[in-house]
Amino acid sequence: MDVQIQNAIEIAWNPVSEPNLKSQALEFLNRLRSDPQGWQICLSLATRNPQASEVVRHVALEVVNNAIQAREVDLQGLQYMKDTLLGHVKTAYGPEAGDFKKDSTTIQNKITQTITYLFCALYTTQWTTFFSDILALTSLPGSAIPDNAPAIKLFLGILISVHDEIADVLVPRSPDEHKRDTDLKDLVRQRDARRISQFWEAILLQWRGRNTIIANQCLSSIARWASWTDLTLIVNDTLLTVLFEFINPPLQPSIDQDGLRDVALNTFIEITEKKMKPDDKLELIQILRIRDVISQVIASPAVHDLRSTSNYDTDLAELIAKLVNNTALDVINILASTGIANATLARANDQLKIFMPYVLRFFSDEYDEICSTVIPSLTDLLTYLRKHRERQAEYASMLSPLLQAIIAKMKYDETSAWGTEDAQTDEAEFQELRKRLQILQQAVAAVDERLYIDTIDNVVGTIFERYRERKGQVDWRDLDLAMHEMFLFGELAVKNGGLYSKTKPVSPAAERLIGMMFKLLDTDVASFSHPAIQLQYMELCVRYSTFFEANPQLITGILEYFVRFIHHDHVKVKTRSWYLFHRFVKQLRQQLGNIAETIIRALGDLLIIKAELPDSELDQDDMSSDENDQSADATFTSQLYLYEATGCICSNRTVPVENQVIIIKSVMDPLFADLEAHLDLAKRGDERAMLQIHHLIMALGTLARGFSDWTPGSSASSSSPPAPLVSEEFSRTAEAILVGLESLNNSAEVRTAARFAFSRLIGVTGNRILGQLPRWIDGLLSQTSSKDEMALFLRLLVQVVYGFKTEIYDILNTLLTPFLQRVYLGISEPTSGTDDEIQLAELKRDYLGFLLVILNNELGSVLISGVNQPAFDTVISTIEHFAKDISDFPTAKLAFSVLSRMVMTWGGSDRVQESVTVVDGEDPGLTAVPGFDRFMMERFSPLCWALPSNSAFNPKDAQGKQVLGEAAGLQKAIYTKTGQKYLTWLREVELPGMGMDEATINDYLDGLCNFDAKKFRQFFQALVQKSGQ
C-alpha cells in the first residue's frame, strides 16, 4: 500500500504526468485523506529510513496533520504518532544522529507543525514532558549546555510554532479553541516557562557569537513568547547584554550581523508591548534602558551620519521609530487613565518629556513611512492635552515645533512630480498622508488655537510675500503648501457657515483668512503657470465663495481666470475646472447678472458635444481612479457641469426675461439641430449617433436643472418658478427630447437620458408638461424596459402627481389603466438572479407608493372612476397578493398601509369616535363609495390573518411584527368606519370560520373596541404569537 501511495503522490505532483493519470492519482489521494487508517501508512512514509522523496514525505505529513486537526485519531493513535515522531526526531536530530541524512528545511517545518498539533492534543494530560523530551536532544553526550545545533534549531522552531498555534492574536478562534489555548498557556507557564527561559539564556550565552541563524531564531521565539509569558523569566542581564550588542555591534563583529539588529529591535518592541500595570510598565521602560537604546541608534552612523544621503538606513530608522512610538503611547495611556496614583503620574510625566523629543525627531524625518510611524503617539498626546488643560503649559514649547513639522510634511517632496501617469500611486499615498497630518493639525488647533492661527497666517503670508518680491520666481511646491494650508484653515475659520456676519468677520480665524484671500488675489497667484497651483486657486475661490459675496467687485477678475482655466491645455485642469466653475457660479449666481451674456459667450466653444465610443482597452484598465479618469465618458460628465453652470448664469433675476430666452435659445438651438442631424443615423443602429443623441438629451436636461431648482408643490423651495416665456422655451426642449425618445425608445441609453431630462424639466416647464405625459409614458416604458426603469419612472410620476395634484386629475384618469397594465407586466415577469429579485421588490414598493400618493393627495377617486373601474379589481388583487407575501415583509407592510388609506378615503364618516363609543342606528356619515363597507369587511379584513395563518410565518421576526402592526391598524380603520357591523361580521362569520374559539373571539373583540391604535397593535401581535406557540 505504501508503494501505491508513494506512486500516486509522485504522479500527482509531476508536472509532466498524463492528465488522466494525474486525475486518478489525485482522486486516490483524496480517498486516502478520508480513510481512517490512511494516516498510519503516511506516517510510516514520512519517517522511514531510507527516506522517501521530499514531495512524498511532505504530502504524507500533510495527511497526518489533517487527521490530527479533524480529530480522526483516537488517544492510542495519538500516542503512536508521538512515539514514532519522537523516535524519528531522536534519530535525525539527536546527539546520536551522526551521518543520518538531514531533513530539508521544508520537511523540518512540516515535522514542526505535526509536533505542534500533537502538543495541542496531548500536552494537557498525556505528554506532560513535551518540552523536556525535545529539550534533552539539544545537548551532545556528556555536555550540560545546549550544543547540538540541529536539535537546537528544531526546538526553537517548535517554540515559534507553538506560539503561532495557541497565542497569535491575529488568528481567529472559536470559543472552544480559545478556551483550549488559554488552558495550554496556563499549563506552559506553570510547568515549563522557567525551563524554556533558562534554555534561551544558555543559547544566547553559547551561540550569540557563533551562529546567526540560531541567535536569530532564539530572539524571534523570545519576541513571540514575551506577550504571554512572565517577563521576569525573560528579561535578565544576559538578554539585555545580547540585545544591546546586536543593536550596537562592535566595529569588527565575530559573526555576520545582517538581520540580527532588526530582530533584536523587534524583540525589544514585543517586550515593551506586553500589557502591564502602570507602575510595572514604567519600571520595565527603565529596566530595558529604552532611552539609551533609542539615543544610541539615533547617534549611529546608519541613522545620523547618513540621514541626508541615499545610504540612510530607513528600515532601522522605522524600527526605532516604532519603539519610540510604542513607548510614548504607553506613557500617554498611563497619564490619561483614571485612578492612577500621583507618584505614578509624575513618573509617567517625566518619561513623556524624555521621549517626546525622539517622537518629534522621527516625525520630522524626510521619509513618510518613518514619519507615519509616530503619528499615533502624537495624536494621543494632543488628545490628552486637549482634555487636560492644566498640562498644556508644560508642553507648550513642544507645540510650535510640532506644528512647524506638520506644515513641513504637508509640502510636496522635491523629487515629486505632479499630474503624470507614473506619479499617480505616489500622489495617492501623499494625499493619504496629508489627511493624517490634517487630523494632527486640527488637534494642535484644538489645544492652542492662537498658536495655530498665528503660525498658518505667518506661513501663508511669508510665501505670498516671497512670491511678490521675486516676481513669481518661486517653487510651485511652496505655493501649493500655502494654498493647501489656506484650504485647511477653513475648518476653523468657516466652521459656523461663513466668514462674515453683517459685513464683519465672524471670528479671529475668519479675519485672518479674509486677509489671506486678499493676499492671494493681490499677489496674482492665479497667473502662476503650474497646473497644480491653478487648480488650488479655483478650489479656494469655490470654498470661500462667501468672501466674494462680501466683495463682489472682485468677481469679474476671478471669472476671467476661470474662463482661462476651463480652456486649459492640461486635461486634468480643464475637466476639474469645469466642475469648479459650475460650483463658483452656482454659489454666486445672483452677482453675475451684468456679465451673464459675456460669460456664456466665452463658454460657447466648450458646449459643443462630440460623443466618442469608449475605448475597449481603456475599459479594461481598472488602475485609474475617478479623479484621474480621462476617458471620453468622464470628460462628457464634466462637460455637463458647464451646461448646468450656463443655466445658473442666465437664470439670474437681474437678467431680463427676454434676454434669458435669447441666451437659452442660443444654447439649445444648436443642440436641437444636432439631435435632428443624428436621428436618422441612430435609427439605423449607428452606435456613435445613438450615443450622441444620449449626450444631447443629457445636456438639455442639465441645462434645465441649472436654470431652476424649483419643485412644483414644494413649500420648502426658496426659488420661484421661471417666467412663462422661459417655461415656453423649455417646453420646446421637452418636445425635441420626446421626438428623439419616440424614435429610439428601444435604446436603454436614450430612455435613461430622457428620464433624467424629464425629471429636470418638471421644474422649468410647470404644468405645460402634463399634456405631454402620455407620450413620456409611452416612450419611457417600452417593451424592453427593465423593472428598475419602471420603478424609477414610478418615482418620477409620484413627483408629478404631488407637484400638480390640483391639475392632473383628467390626464391621470385617462392614462392610469394603461400605465398600470405596463407595471403589472413588469411585476409578473419571472426573475433571474439576485439583482432581478431586488429590482422586483423595489418595483412592487414603488407601485404601492404611487397608489399611496394618489390616495394621500385627494385623487383616490381616479382609481374608481368610470374609466378605471374595470381595472380596480386588479389593483385590489395585486395589493392582496403583496399583503400575503411572506417572503417580502417590507412590501407586505406597505400593502397594508395602502389598504388602510383606502378605508380612510372611501369608508365615509367615522362610526366610532375617539372616545371609543359606537354610534348605533343610522349614522349621519355615509360611506363615500356605496357598498365599500361590505367590500372592506369581506376582502380586506381576512388579509389581516393571512400571514399569521401561514405555517412558515415567524411572529417573532422583527419585520414580521411590523407587518402585524400594520394589519392591526387596518382592522382598527375598518372598525372606525363600520362600527357594530364589523363586530357582528367578525363574531358571526370571519373569526368562527377561522376556527377561533369563543373566549378568544371575545378577547379579540374587546381589544378591538376598547384599545387605542398603539395598544391594539401590541395586543394583536401578542395574540398572534400566542396562537403560534
Side-chain angles (χ1 to χ4, degrees):
M1 185 67 173
D2 57 344
V3 174
Q4 188 178 3
I5 294 173
Q6 184 171 345
N7 289 337
I9 295 173
E10 296 282 7
I11 292 169
W13 267 263
N14 188 341
V16 297
S17 294
E18 197 269 328
N20 289 335
L21 194 60
K22 178 179 286 193
S23 177
Q24 293 174 24
L26 290 170
E27 185 179 349
F28 172 79
L29 293 174
N30 286 332
R31 290 198 303 271
L32 177 68
R33 288 187 176 93
S34 59
D35 186 346
Q37 307 303 319
W39 65 266
Q40 298 182 16
I41 304 171
C42 289
L43 181 62
S44 175
L45 269 176
T47 58
R48 77 181 188 187
N49 190 20
Q51 296 177 353
S53 67
E54 183 165 325
V55 67
V56 170
R57 296 182 70 196
H58 189 277
V59 174
L61 284 169
E62 187 64 38
V63 173
V64 174
N65 290 346
N66 289 338
I68 300 173
Q69 286 187 294
R71 300 182 180 179
E72 297 172 350
V73 186
D74 59 18
L75 185 58
Q76 184 179 355
L78 291 171
Q79 289 281 13
Y80 173 72
M81 280 187 184
K82 165 210 159 185
D83 294 339
T84 303
L85 274 174
L86 194 55
H88 171 75
V89 168
K90 288 179 180 178
T91 303
Y93 299 91
E96 308 297 336
D99 295 331
F100 189 88
K101 185 179 178 182
K102 305 299 181 194
D103 291 331
S104 67
T105 302
T106 302
I107 296 301
Q108 182 174 324
N109 291 340
K110 208 67 186 174
I111 288 174
T112 298
Q113 188 181 46
T114 308
I115 293 174
T116 301
Y117 291 153
L118 287 174
F119 160 82
C120 293
L122 298 174
Y123 181 71
T124 304
T125 56
Q126 304 299 320
W127 196 0
T128 58
T129 59
F130 174 85
F131 291 105
S132 300
D133 289 346
I134 303 173
L135 196 56
L137 305 178
T138 61
S139 298
L140 295 172
S143 173
I145 60 174
D147 49 6
N148 179 18
I152 291 171
K153 292 177 184 178
L154 177 69
F155 185 64
L156 290 170
I158 290 172
L159 291 178
I160 292 171
S161 180
V162 165
H163 163 83
D164 293 346
E165 181 65 24
I166 70 172
D168 190 339
V169 295
L170 298 180
V171 177
R173 292 177 173 84
S174 67
D176 289 342
E177 289 173 333
H178 181 75
K179 183 180 184 307
R180 180 207 69 175
D181 295 344
T182 301
D183 292 342
L184 286 171
K185 286 186 286 185
D186 288 341
L187 286 172
V188 171
R189 285 189 286 259
Q190 178 184 333
R191 294 174 183 171
D192 293 296
R194 185 172 298 278
R195 180 181 296 107
I196 293 169
S197 67
Q198 291 170 349
F199 168 75
W200 282 328
E201 185 175 358
I203 289 296
L204 292 176
L205 285 171
Q206 296 297 321
W207 291 91
R208 71 185 188 209
R210 296 166 52 191
N211 190 303
T212 303
I213 296 175
I214 290 178
N216 194 319
Q217 266 191 304
C218 183
L219 290 176
S220 295
S221 61
I222 292 173
R224 283 172 165 83
W225 281 56
S227 63
W228 56 280
T229 309
D230 187 355
L231 283 186
T232 59
L233 299 176
I234 297 177
V235 179
N236 51 47
D237 290 339
T238 301
L239 174 66
L240 295 179
T241 300
V242 172
L243 289 178
F244 292 145
E245 181 181 306
F246 288 162
I247 291 171
N248 290 290
L251 295 177
Q252 294 182 339
S254 56
I255 60 172
D256 184 4
Q257 294 289 327
D258 287 347
L260 283 177
R261 179 196 61 201
D262 292 353
V263 175
L265 274 173
N266 272 318
T267 304
F268 246 114
I269 292 168
E270 292 295 333
I271 291 173
T272 59
E273 285 182 343
K274 186 175 177 66
K275 303 301 180 185
M276 305 173 74
K277 294 179 180 178
D279 283 313
D280 294 338
K281 175 65 74 173
L282 294 173
E283 188 68 25
L284 180 66
I285 291 172
Q286 290 184 317
I287 291 173
L288 293 178
R289 294 158 46 197
I290 294 178
R291 177 185 183 180
D292 295 340
V293 171
I294 294 170
S295 61
Q296 288 171 14
V297 173
I298 290 177
S300 67
V303 175
H304 182 269
D305 298 348
L306 302 177
R307 180 176 177 181
S308 301
T309 71
S310 59
N311 294 322
Y312 180 39
D313 194 335
T314 55
D315 292 337
L316 176 59
E318 190 171 351
L319 267 178
I320 204 68
K322 184 178 180 181
L323 179 59
V324 168
N325 180 71
N326 290 357
T327 307
L329 275 176
D330 286 335
V331 175
I332 295 166
N333 288 336
I334 293 172
L335 288 169
S337 301
T338 57
I340 307 296
N342 290 334
T344 303
L345 291 175
R347 289 175 60 199
N349 196 47
D350 291 341
Q351 289 291 335
L352 184 58
K353 291 177 180 177
I354 290 172
F355 286 102
M356 283 318 298
Y358 300 135
V359 173
L360 290 176
R361 149 65 180 89
F362 288 108
F363 179 73
S364 60
D365 197 279
E366 176 185 356
Y367 288 86
D368 294 343
E369 297 84 355
I370 298 170
C371 163
S372 298
T373 304
V374 296
I375 287 180
S377 59
L378 284 171
T379 303
D380 280 14
L381 173 65
L382 292 169
T383 302
Y384 168 74
L385 293 178
R386 179 171 55 83
K387 294 179 178 179
H388 297 80
R389 299 283 180 181
E390 71 278 2
R391 293 284 187 184
Q392 290 182 8
E394 296 181 58
Y395 295 92
S397 61
M398 183 205 73
L399 288 178
S400 181
L402 171 58
L403 183 55
Q404 294 290 351
I406 293 172
I407 295 170
K409 293 300 297 182
M410 289 277 195
K411 184 179 175 180
Y412 274 96
D413 185 83
E414 291 182 1
T415 61
S416 59
W418 186 93
T420 62
E421 194 170 329
D422 295 340
Q424 286 184 18
T425 301
D426 291 341
E427 173 73 12
E429 291 175 353
F430 178 62
Q431 293 305 327
E432 189 61 35
L433 175 63
R434 271 186 165 181
K435 291 177 184 178
R436 298 182 69 188
L437 293 171
Q438 178 187 355
I439 295 171
L440 268 186
Q441 193 164 272
Q442 289 172 337
V444 173
V447 174
D448 191 338
E449 184 175 300
R450 174 54 57 188
L451 171 67
Y452 172 70
I453 292 173
D454 290 343
T455 303
I456 298 300
D457 188 27
N458 181 60
V459 168
V460 173
T462 300
I463 292 174
F464 285 163
E465 182 61 24
R466 190 187 315 145
Y467 176 84
R468 188 186 61 79
E469 290 176 352
R470 298 181 182 180
K471 298 181 179 178
Q473 300 302 308
V474 296
D475 192 327
W476 70 269
R477 297 169 184 84
D478 291 327
L479 282 178
D480 174 82
L481 174 64
M483 298 169 80
H484 181 68
E485 287 294 353
M486 279 182 67
F487 191 90
L488 299 183
F489 197 76
E491 296 293 330
L492 177 64
V494 296
K495 61 183 178 182
N496 295 322
L499 291 172
Y500 294 91
S501 175
K502 297 180 180 179
T503 72
K504 293 184 178 181
V506 295
S507 66
E511 185 176 3
R512 296 292 187 93
L513 181 56
I514 291 168
M516 294 181 209
M517 286 297 294
F518 276 116
K519 290 177 184 177
L520 174 74
L521 303 182
D522 290 344
T523 52
D524 197 25
V525 172
S527 63
F528 195 78
S529 60
H530 196 280
I533 304 307
Q534 295 166 344
L535 277 179
Q536 280 276 41
Y537 182 85
M538 289 185 286
E539 297 278 4
L540 288 173
C541 291
V542 170
R543 182 169 174 81
Y544 303 126
S545 59
T546 54
F547 169 81
F548 296 101
E549 289 178 3
N551 299 278
Q553 73 280 4
L554 302 173
I555 294 176
T556 301
I558 301 300
L559 283 172
E560 289 176 2
Y561 279 117
F562 265 97
V563 169
R564 195 177 86 190
F565 296 150
I566 62 178
H567 290 85
H568 205 285
D569 293 335
H570 196 293
V571 65
K572 183 177 178 180
V573 175
K574 180 166 66 175
T575 54
R576 178 64 179 171
S577 67
W578 292 349
Y579 166 73
L580 294 172
F581 174 74
H582 150 256
R583 288 276 311 279
F584 188 72
V585 300
K586 186 173 184 179
Q587 292 166 356
L588 299 171
R589 64 198 302 172
Q590 299 309 325
Q591 278 81 25
L592 305 179
N594 57 337
I595 55 173
E597 295 182 52
T598 304
I599 299 172
I600 291 174
R601 280 197 299 271
L603 298 179
D605 59 317
L606 298 175
L607 298 179
I608 299 172
I609 293 175
K610 292 182 180 179
E612 296 179 26
L613 293 174
D615 190 319
S616 58
E617 293 184 4
L618 288 176
D619 285 351
Q620 296 172 3
D621 183 8
D622 296 328
M623 296 302 291
S624 62
S625 65
D626 291 340
E627 186 177 342
N628 295 306
D629 191 353
Q630 298 175 7
S631 64
D633 188 55
T635 301
F636 171 69
T637 300
S638 297
Q639 190 179 19
L640 289 178
Y641 288 119
L642 293 178
Y643 276 93
E644 186 167 352
T646 300
C648 289
I649 295 168
C650 70
S651 67
N652 187 291
R653 288 191 295 266
T654 62
V655 177
V657 172
E658 295 77 8
N659 289 5
Q660 288 182 357
V661 172
I662 292 171
I663 294 172
I664 293 169
K665 286 174 64 69
S666 70
V667 176
M668 291 196 305
D669 284 350
L671 300 180
F672 293 161
D674 203 7
L675 193 150
E676 184 179 4
H678 285 85
L679 199 54
D680 286 339
L681 276 175
K683 287 179 184 178
R684 293 197 293 269
D686 186 287
E687 288 186 39
R688 202 203 72 81
M690 192 80 76
L691 187 61
Q692 181 76 5
I693 298 290
H694 166 274
H695 285 9
L696 292 168
I697 294 174
M698 290 290 291
L700 289 167
T702 305
L703 179 69
R705 177 171 66 181
F707 192 92
S708 176
D709 57 4
W710 174 71
T711 302
S714 173
S715 58
S717 179
S718 59
S719 59
S720 55
L725 284 175
V726 174
S727 295
E728 186 64 37
E729 197 59 41
F730 276 111
S731 294
R732 290 178 57 231
T733 302
E735 181 64 32
I737 294 172
L738 278 170
V739 170
L741 176 63
E742 289 167 341
S743 301
L744 303 170
N745 75 335
N746 61 329
S747 165
E749 275 191 338
V750 171
R751 291 198 303 271
T752 298
R755 186 170 57 249
F756 168 86
F758 174 73
S759 67
R760 273 67 184 178
L761 286 166
I762 294 171
V764 290
T765 58
N767 59 10
R768 289 175 174 80
I769 205 166
L770 296 180
Q772 300 171 332
L773 200 54
R775 294 172 64 193
W776 282 106
I777 293 175
D778 286 339
L780 292 173
L781 297 184
S782 74
Q783 298 298 321
T784 57
S785 293
S786 66
K787 297 179 181 64
D788 190 43
E789 286 184 77
M790 291 184 182
L792 289 170
F793 187 72
L794 273 167
R795 293 169 210 164
L796 281 179
L797 208 52
V798 164
Q799 181 183 344
V800 174
V801 170
Y802 181 77
F804 303 105
K805 53 190 171 185
T806 60
E807 307 166 76
I808 199 174
Y809 181 89
D810 291 338
I811 294 173
L812 191 61
N813 189 45
T814 303
L815 59 83
L816 183 65
T817 294
F819 170 68
L820 291 181
Q821 286 173 348
R822 298 194 184 193
V823 175
Y824 297 149
L825 283 174
I827 292 174
S828 63
E829 288 177 357
T831 57
S832 57
T834 304
D835 290 345
D836 211 20
E837 291 174 359
I838 293 173
Q839 289 182 9
L840 176 60
E842 290 179 348
L843 177 58
K844 291 176 182 177
R845 290 193 280 272
D846 285 316
Y847 161 69
L848 294 171
F850 173 66
L851 295 178
L852 265 180
V853 168
I854 289 176
L855 293 166
N856 287 335
N857 286 280
E858 301 178 358
L859 292 168
S861 58
V862 78
L863 292 169
I864 53 175
S865 69
V867 175
N868 297 307
Q869 182 69 45
F872 182 68
D873 193 62
T874 306
V875 173
I876 297 300
S877 298
T878 56
I879 300 172
E880 290 175 328
H881 175 72
F882 297 154
K884 294 185 289 187
D885 189 355
I886 198 170
S887 65
D888 188 356
F889 285 142
T891 301
K893 178 184 174 185
L894 192 56
F896 277 111
S897 298
V898 174
L899 294 174
S900 295
R901 191 62 207 168
M902 286 181 172
V903 169
M904 302 309 293
T905 302
W906 297 319
S909 301
D910 294 350
R911 290 177 180 267
V912 178
Q913 307 302 322
E914 290 185 4
S915 59
V916 199
T917 58
V918 181
V919 180
D920 293 323
E922 291 298 321
D923 187 271
L926 302 176
T927 53
V929 178
F932 193 70
D933 54 348
R934 185 83 180 177
F935 184 84
M936 57 190 177
M937 288 190 290
E938 292 180 354
R939 294 285 294 270
F940 292 1
S941 182
L943 292 173
C944 301
W945 302 95
L947 277 179
S949 62
N950 190 319
S951 59
F953 178 72
N954 177 11
K956 295 182 180 180
D957 182 276
Q959 289 187 321
K961 288 179 69 176
Q962 291 180 357
V963 178
L964 291 179
E966 290 296 329
L970 175 59
Q971 294 171 81
K972 261 294 188 184
I974 297 173
Y975 173 60
T976 300
K977 294 298 182 182
T978 59
Q980 186 61 45
K981 285 183 180 180
Y982 188 38
L983 298 179
T984 304
W985 168 266
L986 290 170
R987 182 181 295 280
E988 296 179 359
V989 180
E990 185 172 325
L991 299 182
M994 293 166 45
M996 188 178 291
D997 62 78
E998 181 104 13
T1000 305
I1001 291 175
N1002 289 335
D1003 289 343
Y1004 170 76
L1005 294 179
D1006 183 62
L1008 181 61
C1009 290
N1010 298 312
F1011 293 155
D1012 61 20
K1014 180 179 180 181
K1015 195 168 183 180
F1016 181 69
R1017 182 166 61 246
Q1018 296 169 345
F1019 167 80
F1020 185 64
Q1021 292 168 341
L1023 178 67
V1024 171
Q1025 287 190 31
K1026 181 179 177 181
S1027 63
Q1029 291 177 348

